[in-house]
Amino acid sequence: MQNKKSPRFIVFEGIDGAGKTTQIDLLEKALLKQGVPVERTAEPTTGDTGKLLRRALSGEIPKTPEELALLFTLDRVEHNQAIEKALAAGKTVLCDRYYYSTIAYQGSASDMGWVKSLNLNCPAIRTPDLCLFLDLTPEESIQRIRARGQTAEIYETKEQLSKIRNRFLNAIKTLPNVRIVDAASSPERVHERILEVLRG
Ligand code: TYD
């Protein structure tokens, strides 16, 4: 599946309930079983900028969409040092969210062209070898969120999820190395699909 000489930088994206965590777990295990070294990571990061972003996301520190776009991008530039280091050490990097999220979320709330260029034209932001967009309808997503026992104002949530999904689908059309993976089946079946994409 994997050329050991060229470790890959793989990003996972998707709306809430799409199964990013489950699929990253499964792929990490599958790669490790094959003897492929893996580094798992996520954005926002656990660094200073990532911590500031968490506080902004919770509403504790109000930020404009432009401030958020810049902060997520700064977090990414800082994160790239660790990503480069892992790749240089021969590790395949599995990353939960990357610039596809910034472009979908902050791009839609601000100027899409600006947010895109900020990320795609930044020399310190690596282009992923592959972005797996785990796609799920808002209905399926809500069923999963409910099954987890989380409470939500269903209609509001559904509307919100639908908006976010459409933003993602619009944004990723124009972004590099994206594969849309139907995330509606069992975790095992979705994992198989991901392995097929990696083999392909
Ligand atoms: P997180 O707790 O990681 O959520 P999830 O489990 O859904 O990934 O929080 C990430 C939140 O930050 C999520 O709501 C999406 C948002 N986000 C952006 O708005 N822009 C970005 O660039 C990134 C990386 C995340």
Side-chain angles (χ1 to χ4, degrees):
M1 174 208 297
Q2 163 107 2
N3 177 356
K4 283 183 184 156
K5 276 182 237 146
S6 53
R8 283 193 269 185
F9 175 28
I10 303 172
V11 170
F12 285 75
E13 297 274 7
I15 61 171
D16 197 10
K20 283 187 285 112
T21 307
T22 307
Q23 291 307 323
I24 295 174
D25 283 346
L26 290 171
L27 184 59
E28 182 182 25
K29 280 195 196 113
L31 291 173
L32 289 174
K33 216 167 138 188
Q34 291 170 28
V36 177
V38 176
E39 174 118 337
R40 197 174 162 154
T41 187
E43 291 186 4
T45 68
T46 53
D48 288 345
T49 310
K51 282 188 190 127
L52 179 63
L53 277 164
R54 294 264 168 221
R55 294 173 68 196
L57 287 169
S58 72
E60 187 192 333
I61 313 171
K63 295 281 178 202
T64 65
E66 289 72 29
E67 287 173 319
L68 285 175
L70 288 168
L71 285 170
F72 275 113
T73 307
L74 173 60
D75 191 34
R76 187 157 304 121
V77 167
E78 292 165 352
H79 191 198
N80 259 256
Q81 293 173 21
I83 294 169
E84 293 295 344
K85 205 171 146 197
L87 291 168
K91 293 180 183 171
T92 281
V93 175
L94 304 182
C95 184
D96 188 339
R97 296 193 187 274
Y98 199 59
Y99 56 48
Y100 308 87
S101 280
T102 311
I103 294 162
Y105 290 84
Q106 284 69 48
S108 309
S110 176
D111 182 275
M112 182 67 84
W114 172 64
V115 176
K116 223 168 123 172
S117 143
L118 196 61
N119 279 271
L120 298 187
N121 297 328
C122 175
I125 294 182
R126 191 181 181 97
T127 306
D129 297 300
L130 177 67
C131 166
L132 295 159
F133 178 71
L134 304 184
D135 190 32
L136 205 63
T137 64
E139 290 76 13
E140 288 156 341
S141 167
I142 281 175
Q143 273 177 19
R144 288 195 189 169
I145 296 167
R146 268 188 187 157
R148 280 188 209 152
Q150 290 175 359
T151 48
E153 285 162 51
I154 296 305
Y155 294 111
E156 232 176 81
T157 308
K158 191 169 153 185
E159 199 175 285
Q160 190 66 18
L161 288 170
S162 176
K163 210 156 78 183
I164 295 166
R165 180 185 183 222
N166 289 333
R167 283 177 185 168
F168 259 119
L169 290 173
N170 280 328
I172 62 179
K173 270 191 252 165
T174 65
L175 298 175
N177 304 334
V178 181
R179 289 292 296 268
I180 298 177
V181 176
D182 179 1
S185 338
S186 68
E188 293 72 25
R189 181 71 197 101
V190 177
H191 176 57
E192 274 307 314
R193 287 196 188 113
I194 288 173
L195 292 179
E196 275 163 32
V197 171
L198 291 187
R199 275 192 290 263

